[in-house]
Amino acid sequence: MENMPYRQLGNSGLSVSLFSFGSWVTFGKQMDVQPVKECLKYAFDQGINFFDNAEVYAGGVSETLMMEGFRQLGLGRNEYVLTTKFFWGIENRLNFRNTLNRKYLMQAIDGSLKRMKTDFVDVAYCHRYDPNTPIHEIVFAMDQMIRDGKALYWGTSEWPADAINAAYDFAVENKLHRPIVEQPQYNMLHKEKVEKEFKPLYAKMKLGLTTWSPLASGVLTGKYMNGIPADSRAALPGMSFVKDEIDNRENQNKVEKLAAISKKSGISMAHLALGWCALNANVSTVILGASRIEQLKENLNVLNHLNKITDLKKELDQI
Ligand code: NDP
Protein backbone atom coordinates (compact mmCIF):
# COMPACT_ATOMS: atom_id res chain seq x y z
CA MET A 1 0.00 0.00 0.00
CA GLU A 2 1.28 3.42 -0.90
CA ASN A 3 0.68 5.06 2.46
CA MET A 4 2.21 2.42 4.76
CA PRO A 5 5.27 4.00 6.43
CA TYR A 6 8.31 1.85 7.33
CA ARG A 7 10.72 2.27 10.23
CA GLN A 8 14.05 0.70 11.16
CA LEU A 9 13.80 -2.08 13.74
CA GLY A 10 16.01 -0.61 16.46
CA ASN A 11 19.73 -0.56 15.73
CA SER A 12 19.41 -2.96 12.80
CA GLY A 13 19.20 -2.65 9.04
CA LEU A 14 15.75 -4.23 8.95
CA SER A 15 12.76 -2.13 7.84
CA VAL A 16 9.37 -2.95 9.30
CA SER A 17 5.91 -1.61 8.52
CA LEU A 18 4.59 0.95 11.02
CA PHE A 19 1.59 -1.32 11.59
CA SER A 20 2.05 -5.07 11.79
CA PHE A 21 -0.11 -8.09 12.52
CA GLY A 22 -0.08 -10.60 15.37
CA SER A 23 -1.83 -13.85 16.21
CA TRP A 24 -2.33 -13.95 20.00
CA VAL A 25 -5.78 -15.26 21.10
CA THR A 26 -7.04 -15.15 17.51
CA PHE A 27 -5.12 -17.73 15.42
CA GLY A 28 -6.25 -21.22 16.36
CA LYS A 29 -8.84 -20.04 18.89
CA GLN A 30 -11.04 -17.60 16.98
CA MET A 31 -9.77 -18.24 13.43
CA ASP A 32 -8.89 -21.35 11.44
CA VAL A 33 -6.70 -21.45 8.33
CA GLN A 34 -9.17 -19.84 5.88
CA PRO A 35 -9.80 -16.59 7.82
CA VAL A 36 -6.14 -16.57 8.86
CA LYS A 37 -5.16 -16.70 5.20
CA GLU A 38 -7.58 -13.89 4.31
CA CYS A 39 -6.22 -11.69 7.08
CA LEU A 40 -2.59 -12.39 6.15
CA LYS A 41 -3.33 -11.56 2.51
CA TYR A 42 -5.12 -8.34 3.38
CA ALA A 43 -2.34 -7.31 5.76
CA PHE A 44 0.35 -8.12 3.21
CA ASP A 45 -1.49 -6.27 0.42
CA GLN A 46 -1.70 -3.19 2.66
CA GLY A 47 2.09 -3.14 3.05
CA ILE A 48 2.43 -5.01 6.35
CA ASN A 49 5.69 -6.95 6.37
CA PHE A 50 6.04 -7.83 10.08
CA PHE A 51 4.08 -10.77 11.50
CA ASP A 52 4.16 -11.57 15.19
CA ASN A 53 3.87 -15.03 16.68
CA ALA A 54 4.95 -17.06 19.72
CA GLU A 55 5.54 -20.68 20.62
CA VAL A 56 2.88 -20.50 23.33
CA TYR A 57 0.08 -19.00 21.18
CA ALA A 58 -2.62 -21.70 20.94
CA GLY A 59 0.02 -24.17 22.14
CA GLY A 60 2.03 -24.04 18.90
CA VAL A 61 -0.99 -24.06 16.57
CA SER A 62 -0.65 -20.35 15.83
CA GLU A 63 2.83 -20.89 14.37
CA THR A 64 1.58 -23.74 12.20
CA LEU A 65 -1.44 -21.77 10.97
CA MET A 66 0.47 -18.61 10.11
CA MET A 67 2.99 -20.45 7.99
CA GLU A 68 0.32 -22.61 6.39
CA GLY A 69 -1.44 -19.36 5.45
CA PHE A 70 1.72 -17.90 3.91
CA ARG A 71 2.35 -21.11 1.99
CA GLN A 72 -1.19 -21.24 0.60
CA LEU A 73 -0.80 -17.60 -0.48
CA GLY A 74 2.43 -18.50 -2.26
CA LEU A 75 4.46 -15.92 -0.33
CA GLY A 76 8.19 -16.51 -0.15
CA ARG A 77 10.32 -16.23 3.00
CA ASN A 78 11.91 -13.07 1.54
CA GLU A 79 8.53 -11.29 1.50
CA TYR A 80 7.84 -11.01 5.23
CA VAL A 81 9.51 -10.71 8.61
CA LEU A 82 8.57 -13.63 10.86
CA THR A 83 8.92 -13.75 14.63
CA THR A 84 8.40 -16.14 17.49
CA LYS A 85 8.94 -15.97 21.24
CA PHE A 86 10.04 -18.30 24.02
CA PHE A 87 9.52 -18.47 27.76
CA TRP A 88 6.36 -20.27 28.92
CA GLY A 89 7.01 -23.45 26.96
CA ILE A 90 4.46 -25.91 25.62
CA GLU A 91 5.87 -29.12 27.10
CA ASN A 92 4.79 -29.93 30.60
CA ARG A 93 8.16 -31.00 31.98
CA LEU A 94 10.93 -29.76 34.22
CA ASN A 95 13.21 -27.18 32.57
CA PHE A 96 10.71 -26.44 29.80
CA ARG A 97 8.26 -24.11 31.59
CA ASN A 98 8.66 -20.43 32.54
CA THR A 99 12.34 -20.39 31.75
CA LEU A 100 15.04 -19.08 29.45
CA ASN A 101 17.57 -21.79 30.24
CA ARG A 102 19.86 -22.75 27.40
CA LYS A 103 18.48 -26.28 27.04
CA TYR A 104 14.92 -24.99 26.68
CA LEU A 105 15.84 -22.18 24.27
CA MET A 106 17.90 -24.42 21.97
CA GLN A 107 15.19 -27.09 21.81
CA ALA A 108 12.28 -24.63 21.64
CA ILE A 109 13.61 -22.90 18.52
CA ASP A 110 13.91 -26.31 16.84
CA GLY A 111 10.29 -27.08 17.75
CA SER A 112 9.07 -23.77 16.33
CA LEU A 113 10.99 -24.16 13.09
CA LYS A 114 9.62 -27.68 12.68
CA ARG A 115 6.03 -26.51 13.21
CA MET A 116 6.54 -23.57 10.87
CA LYS A 117 8.39 -25.68 8.28
CA THR A 118 10.99 -22.99 7.81
CA ASP A 119 14.76 -22.83 8.40
CA PHE A 120 14.78 -19.59 10.39
CA VAL A 121 12.74 -16.89 12.05
CA ASP A 122 13.72 -13.29 11.54
CA VAL A 123 13.34 -12.22 15.15
CA ALA A 124 13.37 -14.54 18.18
CA TYR A 125 12.18 -12.97 21.44
CA CYS A 126 12.65 -13.95 25.06
CA HIS A 127 8.94 -13.62 25.87
CA ARG A 128 9.47 -12.68 29.54
CA TYR A 129 12.47 -12.13 31.81
CA ASP A 130 13.68 -15.15 33.77
CA PRO A 131 15.51 -14.09 36.95
CA ASN A 132 16.55 -17.72 37.57
CA THR A 133 18.74 -18.03 34.47
CA PRO A 134 21.97 -16.00 34.52
CA ILE A 135 22.02 -13.22 31.94
CA HIS A 136 25.21 -14.61 30.33
CA GLU A 137 23.48 -17.95 29.70
CA ILE A 138 20.54 -16.23 27.99
CA VAL A 139 22.73 -13.99 25.83
CA PHE A 140 25.03 -16.87 24.82
CA ALA A 141 21.99 -19.01 23.88
CA MET A 142 20.36 -16.26 21.79
CA ASP A 143 23.72 -15.56 20.13
CA GLN A 144 24.09 -19.28 19.38
CA MET A 145 20.60 -19.35 17.84
CA ILE A 146 21.72 -16.61 15.47
CA ARG A 147 25.09 -18.22 14.73
CA ASP A 148 23.26 -21.47 13.94
CA GLY A 149 21.18 -19.55 11.38
CA LYS A 150 17.92 -20.31 13.19
CA ALA A 151 17.18 -16.64 13.96
CA LEU A 152 18.52 -13.45 12.39
CA TYR A 153 17.94 -11.04 15.28
CA TRP A 154 16.89 -11.33 18.89
CA GLY A 155 14.96 -9.27 21.37
CA THR A 156 13.03 -9.30 24.62
CA SER A 157 9.43 -8.87 25.68
CA GLU A 158 8.25 -7.25 28.91
CA TRP A 159 11.76 -7.26 30.35
CA PRO A 160 12.75 -4.67 32.94
CA ALA A 161 15.02 -1.96 31.51
CA ASP A 162 17.94 -2.93 33.75
CA ALA A 163 17.88 -6.53 32.47
CA ILE A 164 17.85 -5.36 28.84
CA ASN A 165 20.73 -3.04 29.69
CA ALA A 166 22.68 -5.89 31.30
CA ALA A 167 22.09 -8.20 28.33
CA TYR A 168 23.19 -5.49 25.93
CA ASP A 169 26.36 -4.69 27.89
CA PHE A 170 27.26 -8.38 28.19
CA ALA A 171 26.77 -8.89 24.44
CA VAL A 172 28.91 -5.86 23.55
CA GLU A 173 31.70 -6.82 25.98
CA ASN A 174 31.82 -10.36 24.65
CA LYS A 175 31.26 -9.55 20.96
CA LEU A 176 27.98 -11.47 20.86
CA HIS A 177 24.82 -10.58 18.94
CA ARG A 178 23.04 -7.83 20.84
CA PRO A 179 19.31 -7.63 21.56
CA ILE A 180 17.85 -5.04 19.16
CA VAL A 181 14.21 -4.85 20.18
CA GLU A 182 11.83 -5.01 23.13
CA GLN A 183 8.15 -5.94 22.85
CA PRO A 184 6.16 -4.12 25.55
CA GLN A 185 2.49 -3.40 25.99
CA TYR A 186 1.85 0.17 24.84
CA ASN A 187 -1.51 1.85 24.71
CA MET A 188 -3.34 4.77 26.34
CA LEU A 189 -3.92 2.68 29.47
CA HIS A 190 -0.33 1.39 29.79
CA LYS A 191 2.43 3.79 28.82
CA GLU A 192 4.91 3.94 31.72
CA LYS A 193 7.47 1.43 30.40
CA VAL A 194 7.69 2.91 26.92
CA GLU A 195 7.58 6.56 27.93
CA LYS A 196 9.63 6.45 31.14
CA GLU A 197 11.42 3.19 31.99
CA PHE A 198 13.01 2.52 28.59
CA LYS A 199 13.97 6.14 27.90
CA PRO A 200 17.73 5.74 28.62
CA LEU A 201 17.86 2.71 26.29
CA TYR A 202 16.68 4.61 23.20
CA ALA A 203 19.75 6.82 23.38
CA LYS A 204 22.20 4.17 24.56
CA MET A 205 21.38 1.22 22.28
CA LYS A 206 18.76 2.61 19.89
CA LEU A 207 16.30 0.07 21.30
CA GLY A 208 13.52 -0.82 18.86
CA LEU A 209 9.94 -1.40 20.05
CA THR A 210 7.35 -3.74 18.60
CA THR A 211 4.41 -2.76 20.78
CA TRP A 212 1.44 -4.94 21.70
CA SER A 213 -2.27 -4.48 22.53
CA PRO A 214 -2.62 -1.01 21.01
CA LEU A 215 -6.37 -1.18 21.69
CA ALA A 216 -5.91 -2.68 25.19
CA SER A 217 -7.55 -5.89 23.93
CA GLY A 218 -10.38 -3.87 22.36
CA VAL A 219 -11.21 -1.75 25.44
CA LEU A 220 -10.11 1.43 23.62
CA THR A 221 -12.55 0.87 20.76
CA GLY A 222 -15.36 1.64 23.23
CA LYS A 223 -16.95 -1.76 22.55
CA TYR A 224 -17.23 -2.47 26.29
CA MET A 225 -18.80 0.85 27.33
CA ASN A 226 -22.26 -0.72 27.54
CA GLY A 227 -21.40 -4.24 28.69
CA ILE A 228 -19.55 -7.23 27.27
CA PRO A 229 -20.63 -8.39 23.79
CA ALA A 230 -20.94 -12.19 23.59
CA ASP A 231 -18.55 -12.42 20.63
CA SER A 232 -15.76 -10.36 22.21
CA ARG A 233 -12.41 -11.19 23.81
CA ALA A 234 -13.66 -10.32 27.29
CA ALA A 235 -16.30 -13.05 26.95
CA LEU A 236 -13.73 -15.75 26.11
CA PRO A 237 -12.67 -18.23 28.81
CA GLY A 238 -9.37 -17.35 30.47
CA MET A 239 -9.59 -13.66 29.57
CA SER A 240 -10.72 -12.32 32.95
CA PHE A 241 -7.90 -9.76 32.90
CA VAL A 242 -9.83 -7.92 30.15
CA LYS A 243 -12.82 -7.69 32.50
CA ASP A 244 -10.49 -6.23 35.14
CA GLU A 245 -9.37 -3.56 32.65
CA ILE A 246 -13.02 -2.80 31.82
CA ASP A 247 -14.08 -2.58 35.48
CA ASN A 248 -11.20 -0.29 36.47
CA ARG A 249 -12.65 3.18 37.22
CA GLU A 250 -9.53 5.02 36.05
CA ASN A 251 -9.65 3.17 32.74
CA GLN A 252 -13.34 3.98 32.38
CA ASN A 253 -12.53 7.69 32.75
CA LYS A 254 -9.86 7.42 30.07
CA VAL A 255 -12.18 5.59 27.69
CA GLU A 256 -14.84 8.26 28.24
CA LYS A 257 -12.33 11.02 27.49
CA LEU A 258 -11.27 9.20 24.34
CA ALA A 259 -14.92 8.84 23.33
CA ALA A 260 -15.38 12.60 23.73
CA ILE A 261 -12.38 13.40 21.50
CA SER A 262 -13.67 10.89 18.97
CA LYS A 263 -17.10 12.52 18.90
CA LYS A 264 -15.61 15.99 18.51
CA SER A 265 -13.10 15.05 15.81
CA GLY A 266 -15.19 12.54 13.89
CA ILE A 267 -12.31 10.02 14.07
CA SER A 268 -13.16 6.64 15.58
CA MET A 269 -11.84 5.71 19.03
CA ALA A 270 -9.93 2.77 17.51
CA HIS A 271 -8.20 5.03 14.98
CA LEU A 272 -7.29 7.58 17.64
CA ALA A 273 -5.88 4.85 19.91
CA LEU A 274 -3.88 3.19 17.13
CA GLY A 275 -2.64 6.44 15.58
CA TRP A 276 -1.52 7.73 18.98
CA CYS A 277 0.76 4.66 19.43
CA ALA A 278 2.26 5.16 15.98
CA LEU A 279 3.04 8.83 16.64
CA ASN A 280 5.66 7.82 19.22
CA ALA A 281 8.91 7.89 17.22
CA ASN A 282 10.50 5.25 19.48
CA VAL A 283 7.92 2.72 18.33
CA SER A 284 9.18 0.63 15.40
CA THR A 285 5.87 -1.09 14.71
CA VAL A 286 2.43 -1.23 16.32
CA ILE A 287 1.22 -4.84 16.33
CA LEU A 288 -2.46 -5.08 15.44
CA GLY A 289 -4.76 -7.91 16.49
CA ALA A 290 -8.06 -8.83 14.85
CA SER A 291 -10.54 -11.64 15.41
CA ARG A 292 -12.03 -11.06 11.95
CA ILE A 293 -10.92 -9.46 8.74
CA GLU A 294 -13.42 -6.58 9.02
CA GLN A 295 -11.56 -5.33 12.11
CA LEU A 296 -8.23 -5.45 10.30
CA LYS A 297 -9.69 -3.52 7.35
CA GLU A 298 -11.22 -0.94 9.63
CA ASN A 299 -8.11 -0.59 11.77
CA LEU A 300 -5.70 -0.18 8.87
CA ASN A 301 -7.80 2.75 7.70
CA VAL A 302 -5.99 4.64 10.44
CA LEU A 303 -3.34 5.33 7.81
CA ASN A 304 -5.77 7.77 6.19
CA HIS A 305 -6.16 9.73 9.43
CA LEU A 306 -2.58 9.98 10.72
CA ASN A 307 -2.23 13.67 9.83
CA LYS A 308 -5.40 14.64 11.67
CA ILE A 309 -4.43 12.47 14.66
CA THR A 310 -1.05 14.25 14.78
CA ASP A 311 -2.94 17.51 15.31
CA LEU A 312 -4.81 15.92 18.22
CA LYS A 313 -1.72 14.42 19.86
CA LYS A 314 -1.45 16.89 22.75
CA GLU A 315 -5.08 16.36 23.65
CA LEU A 316 -4.69 12.58 23.40
CA ASP A 317 -1.55 12.69 25.58
CA GLN A 318 -3.66 14.26 28.35
CA ILE A 319 -5.72 11.06 28.56
P1 NDP B 1 -5.42 -5.15 20.45
O1 NDP B 1 -5.26 -4.45 21.75
O2 NDP B 1 -5.51 -4.29 19.24
O3 NDP B 1 -6.70 -6.08 20.57
C1 NDP B 1 -7.16 -6.79 19.45
C2 NDP B 1 -8.56 -7.31 19.72
O4 NDP B 1 -9.46 -6.21 19.91
C3 NDP B 1 -9.10 -8.09 18.53
O5 NDP B 1 -8.69 -9.42 18.52
C4 NDP B 1 -10.60 -7.90 18.72
O6 NDP B 1 -11.03 -8.80 19.75
C5 NDP B 1 -10.68 -6.46 19.21
N1 NDP B 1 -10.75 -5.49 18.10
C6 NDP B 1 -9.76 -5.16 17.23
N2 NDP B 1 -10.18 -4.20 16.39
C7 NDP B 1 -11.43 -3.92 16.72
C8 NDP B 1 -12.38 -2.99 16.22
N3 NDP B 1 -12.08 -2.19 15.19
N4 NDP B 1 -13.60 -2.95 16.79
C9 NDP B 1 -13.91 -3.76 17.83
N5 NDP B 1 -13.05 -4.65 18.35
C10 NDP B 1 -11.81 -4.73 17.81
O7 NDP B 1 -4.20 -6.12 20.18
P2 NDP B 1 -3.84 -7.57 20.81
O8 NDP B 1 -4.07 -7.58 22.27
O9 NDP B 1 -4.48 -8.61 19.98
O10 NDP B 1 -2.27 -7.58 20.57
C11 NDP B 1 -1.76 -7.50 19.23
C12 NDP B 1 -0.64 -8.48 19.06
O11 NDP B 1 0.42 -8.17 19.96
C13 NDP B 1 -0.96 -9.96 19.38
O12 NDP B 1 -1.62 -10.60 18.34
C14 NDP B 1 0.41 -10.52 19.63
O13 NDP B 1 1.05 -10.80 18.40
C15 NDP B 1 1.12 -9.36 20.32
N6 NDP B 1 1.10 -9.52 21.79
C16 NDP B 1 2.27 -9.75 22.43
C17 NDP B 1 2.32 -9.93 23.79
C18 NDP B 1 3.62 -10.16 24.45
O14 NDP B 1 3.64 -10.53 25.63
N7 NDP B 1 4.73 -10.00 23.79
C19 NDP B 1 1.09 -9.92 24.61
C20 NDP B 1 -0.10 -9.64 23.85
C21 NDP B 1 -0.09 -9.45 22.50
P3 NDP B 1 -12.53 -9.42 19.82
O15 NDP B 1 -13.20 -9.23 18.49
O16 NDP B 1 -12.31 -10.85 20.17
O17 NDP B 1 -13.21 -8.65 20.91
Side-chain angles (χ1 to χ4, degrees):
M1 195 197 197
E2 277 168 19
N3 58 352
M4 175 65 79
Y6 294 86
R7 289 182 182 169
Q8 293 297 113
L9 186 60
N11 194 12
S12 82
L14 200 66
S15 293
V16 295
S17 47
L18 180 54
F19 291 93
S20 48
F21 188 49
S23 60
W24 177 57
V25 186
T26 54
F27 285 27
K29 287 190 180 156
Q30 294 172 301
M31 290 195 275
D32 206 344
V33 69
Q34 188 59 27
V36 160
K37 196 170 83 178
E38 285 165 17
C39 285
L40 292 177
K41 179 167 171 34
Y42 187 79
F44 184 78
D45 288 347
Q46 300 304 303
I48 285 182
N49 78 334
F50 183 96
F51 293 88
D52 190 68
N53 217 319
E55 177 199 49
V56 76
Y57 294 169
V61 173
S62 166
E63 290 178 330
T64 310
L65 274 178
M66 184 178 275
M67 288 305 280
E68 182 56 30
F70 282 137
R71 254 185 302 278
Q72 289 191 18
L73 293 170
L75 292 178
R77 254 328 255 105
N78 52 355
E79 295 188 87
Y80 54 89
V81 173
L82 179 68
T83 79
T84 196
K85 313 187 202 79
F86 306 110
F87 173 74
W88 281 287
I90 52 174
E91 277 186 76
N92 210 359
R93 62 178 79 243
L94 188 66
N95 285 323
F96 284 79
R97 283 277 179 193
N98 306 332
T99 182
L100 294 174
N101 76 66
R102 182 180 175 85
K103 177 171 173 60
Y104 161 69
L105 286 174
M106 300 322 288
Q107 294 195 235
I109 182 70
D110 287 344
S112 287
L113 296 179
K114 201 170 166 192
R115 275 187 298 281
M116 295 197 276
K117 297 188 189 141
T118 185
D119 297 334
F120 66 98
V121 293
D122 297 285
V123 189
Y125 291 86
C126 297
H127 209 156
R128 287 295 181 270
Y129 179 56
D130 171 15
N132 298 318
T133 301
I135 206 79
H136 64 262
E137 180 173 337
I138 301 171
V139 179
F140 267 119
M142 297 311 290
D143 176 77
Q144 188 66 47
M145 218 182 260
I146 293 177
R147 283 174 204 263
D148 290 347
K150 295 173 182 176
L152 304 185
Y153 303 91
W154 78 278
T156 58
S157 178
E158 291 293 335
W159 274 33
D162 58 358
I164 299 173
N165 192 43
Y168 177 80
D169 284 348
F170 183 81
V172 171
E173 277 160 27
N174 293 282
K175 298 193 168 54
L176 304 173
H177 288 100
R178 308 159 189 190
I180 60 159
V181 61
E182 154 68 21
Q183 186 168 128
Q185 177 169 198
Y186 184 52
N187 56 52
M188 286 174 176
L189 308 182
H190 299 273
K191 46 189 201 178
E192 286 288 307
K193 283 192 99 156
V194 165
E195 297 188 359
K196 294 210 170 88
E197 189 184 329
F198 295 146
K199 223 171 169 183
L201 299 178
Y202 305 135
K204 176 174 172 174
M205 58 180 278
K206 218 178 155 203
L207 181 70
L209 298 177
T210 57
T211 60
W212 59 268
S213 283
L215 296 173
S217 278
V219 175
L220 293 169
T221 64
K223 71 192 289 177
Y224 296 114
M225 290 178 86
N226 298 309
I228 296 178
D231 62 348
S232 65
R233 182 176 290 181
L236 290 174
M239 290 286 135
S240 59
F241 76 93
V242 185
K243 284 191 194 132
D244 296 342
E245 295 274 45
I246 297 166
D247 291 341
N248 180 301
R249 189 62 213 143
E250 208 179 310
N251 288 348
Q252 288 169 0
N253 284 337
K254 291 178 181 173
V255 171
E256 278 159 22
K257 282 183 191 162
L258 182 63
I261 300 177
S262 167
K263 200 169 172 203
K264 199 174 65 179
S265 64
I267 301 174
S268 75
M269 291 172 71
H271 287 163
L272 290 173
L274 296 171
W276 175 85
C277 295
L279 290 181
N280 184 329
N282 292 313
V283 171
S284 321
T285 183
V286 177
I287 312 175
L288 303 175
S291 65
R292 35 192 174 273
I293 193 167
E294 292 75 20
Q295 292 173 350
L296 185 61
K297 286 184 178 173
E298 183 190 331
N299 294 348
L300 276 173
N301 245 324
V302 65
L303 290 167
N304 298 318
H305 300 290
L306 281 183
N307 287 342
K308 274 204 231 159
I309 299 170
T310 307
D311 297 339
L312 294 166
K313 185 171 183 306
K314 273 205 181 120
E315 215 176 322
L316 293 168
D317 281 340
Q318 297 305 317
I319 294 176

